[in-house]
Amino acid sequence: GSGGPDGSEWGSECLDARLDGFSRLAAFQPVSADNTRPARVFLERLADAGIEPSGALLNRLRVDASEYQLWKKQEPARGIQLSHSAMRLINTVCAGIGIAPDFCTYPERCLLILRKYASRRDPSIPVPDDIAARFSFTCNDENRFRLIDWSRTFQQLGEVVDFTETEKSLYADAFYSALGESILAMALYAETLTGIRDVVVSGSIFQAPILLEKTREKLSAKDFAVYLHEKTSCDESCVPVGQAYAAGLT
């Protein structure tokens, strides 16, 4: 993706969109733009917090200790490009809950794996509180902009020794719920700045029906008017349609 105003790739944007322009109001804290090695990005986020991974965690991530030491030596030299993309966040969390592949051959791979695991959860089994609590974020507000920081989530997932297949489904569903809460946090902040209560939910991550429904429910519960894609896909292929429509009105 292209660089945004802070030098990081665009993504996870909450925008006040108008025909004459837009205002950027919120986004996720950026992580590495590397979309091929989820485990490496997860370990980088732990390193940012000053956390050295245990041998057990490296084993769980299928990362050899010597490989990790090599990554650490390479990191200062490779000039890490950062990204606000929700897809990069999903890659990182999938590594943390043990469902990411060692190497992603296409950008949406972890998104599809997360969707698969979340859809396996037995709806009659509630997500335990201790699992839900591992997915937390903080809101940092400055200069009319809210940054959603997921650092605590990475740290708490790094503390888990192992996951059963059933637990992976529970973690996937819990992460979807937390993502929905973070989107609500963006919308509530945007309302304080603009007074707008109409929310258009768009982006590739909403191709996951469970996440889309959780987000819609959370926004609707706070009386936001929620608009979803009906005749176009919610991924970036819909952008030219909006551009053509806006051009026709100007």
Side-chain angles (χ1 to χ4, degrees):
S2 58
D6 61 359
S8 300
E9 289 181 358
W10 289 94
S12 67
E13 312 291 338
C14 177
L15 303 174
D16 173 14
R18 309 173 302 277
L19 288 177
D20 62 348
F22 67 90
S23 298
R24 185 169 176 260
L25 304 177
F28 291 157
Q29 176 81 23
V31 298
S32 172
D34 181 357
N35 63 1
T36 60
R37 298 296 299 269
R40 180 170 187 166
V41 178
F42 182 77
L43 290 169
E44 286 171 356
R45 304 320 294 172
L46 293 185
D48 288 345
I51 298 173
E52 189 71 14
S54 65
L57 177 59
L58 291 177
N59 288 335
R60 180 162 72 75
L61 295 173
R62 299 182 299 279
V63 174
D64 184 82
S66 60
E67 183 180 23
Y68 171 65
Q69 293 302 322
L70 178 62
W71 287 352
K72 288 178 65 176
K73 292 178 180 178
Q74 292 175 337
E75 186 173 325
R78 71 189 185 106
I80 298 174
Q81 172 66 41
L82 299 178
S83 174
H84 291 283
S85 170
M87 203 75 76
R88 304 294 179 270
L89 170 67
I90 286 172
N91 289 0
T92 310
V93 170
C94 282
I97 62 179
I99 62 175
D102 294 338
F103 190 88
C104 289
T105 53
Y106 53 93
E108 297 83 11
R109 189 172 183 192
C110 282
L111 180 69
L112 296 174
I113 294 172
L114 181 69
R115 174 179 173 177
K116 177 183 72 174
Y117 273 92
S119 66
R120 289 176 177 174
R121 185 180 80 83
D122 183 345
S124 66
I125 301 176
V127 175
D129 291 342
D130 63 323
I131 291 180
R134 291 192 181 275
F135 297 96
S136 59
F137 57 85
T138 57
C139 299
N140 302 315
D141 304 337
E142 187 175 354
N143 297 325
R144 295 175 61 85
F145 186 77
R146 169 165 283 187
L147 201 60
I148 305 290
D149 186 350
W150 292 89
S151 297
R152 185 61 183 147
T153 289
F154 305 142
Q155 296 168 28
Q156 292 181 135
L157 291 177
E159 297 168 357
V160 182
V161 175
D162 200 8
F163 301 88
T164 66
E165 286 300 298
T166 298
E167 287 173 335
K168 289 176 181 178
S169 294
L170 295 170
Y171 273 86
D173 189 80
F175 179 43
Y176 272 158
S177 293
L179 278 173
E181 289 291 344
S182 70
I183 294 163
L184 173 60
M186 289 183 177
L188 290 169
Y189 181 71
E191 183 196 8
T192 66
L193 299 177
T194 66
I196 296 173
R197 297 192 59 79
D198 295 332
V199 179
V200 177
V201 178
S202 185
S204 296
I205 65 169
F206 296 109
Q207 295 176 97
I210 298 173
L211 174 60
L212 180 63
E213 183 58 21
K214 285 180 181 289
T215 302
R216 186 196 65 77
E217 288 178 353
K218 292 177 187 298
L219 290 168
S220 297
K222 295 295 183 180
D223 297 323
F224 284 98
V226 183
Y227 296 88
L228 310 177
H229 286 260
E230 294 181 353
K231 296 183 179 180
T232 60
S233 173
C234 62
D235 65 10
E236 56 193 27
S237 67
C238 71
V239 173
V241 178
Q243 291 173 326
Y245 177 76
L249 296 178
T250 56

